[in-house]
Amino acid sequence: MLSVLSTESRDIASEDDLLQIKASVKRIAALLGFSLVNQTKVITAAAELARNTLIYGGGGNCKINVLDDSRRKGVQMIFVDTGPGIENLEQAMKDGFTSGNGMGLGLGGSKRLMDEFDIKSTVGVGTTICVTKWV
């Protein structure tokens, strides 16, 4: 059975908020015993998704959950914005696609770094991305 052991919620409204999210994720991943490689993967995904939430979603929120499914522990991050949404999710997931000035690696790269990745987006309503990494 999946349990949420703890939750932290962080607003995403400025560059300083991105740093706070990275610090929280780093602390949690280290406490859970992630290897340095997996800590880096989780922090990188958090940074990319938080930046996307700020830049493309106009800001939002990140919820960081510590999970336990009785076999393992993990960290889950849920990014929510009420921005313009993503018109073409399939295209947005492809490496090299960007609607701005970025390299176009954020969504696809984050998916590859994490064990679980789910995205829901509605044009004119916003986007929710949920990612999980297990120890």
Side-chain angles (χ1 to χ4, degrees):
M1 183 169 134
L2 184 64
S3 299
V4 177
L5 300 179
S6 67
T7 298
E8 291 185 22
S9 185
R10 302 273 185 237
D11 288 332
I12 302 171
S14 70
E15 291 284 331
D16 285 341
D17 296 331
L18 303 182
L19 296 173
Q20 289 181 18
I21 289 168
K22 285 173 55 176
S24 291
V25 169
K26 180 179 182 177
R27 177 180 41 78
I28 291 167
L31 287 171
L32 288 174
F34 279 92
S35 68
L36 288 178
V37 169
N38 282 335
Q39 286 181 43
T40 301
K41 288 179 180 182
V42 172
I43 294 164
T44 301
E48 289 292 331
L49 296 173
R51 183 168 298 285
N52 281 359
T53 300
L54 179 62
I55 293 172
Y56 302 111
N61 182 270
C62 174
K63 186 184 295 186
I64 306 164
N65 296 320
V66 175
L67 305 178
D68 185 335
D69 75 355
S70 76
R71 296 178 295 124
R72 59 195 174 165
K73 289 188 173 32
V75 62
Q76 176 187 65
M77 299 174 289
I78 304 169
F79 296 86
V80 179
D81 70 61
T82 56
I86 301 170
E87 253 183 70
N88 186 333
L89 274 177
E90 185 177 327
Q91 183 181 36
M93 292 300 298
K94 290 182 180 174
D95 286 346
F97 174 79
T98 181
S99 59
N101 296 322
M103 293 174 54
L105 298 173
L107 292 178
S110 294
K111 181 177 182 178
R112 286 189 298 276
L113 292 170
M114 302 298 286
D115 295 325
E116 298 173 15
F117 181 97
D118 182 61
I119 183 169
K120 291 178 179 45
S121 189
T122 304
V123 173
V125 176
T127 302
T128 299
I129 301 173
C130 180
V131 295
T132 305
K133 187 76 167 173
W134 297 100
V135 176

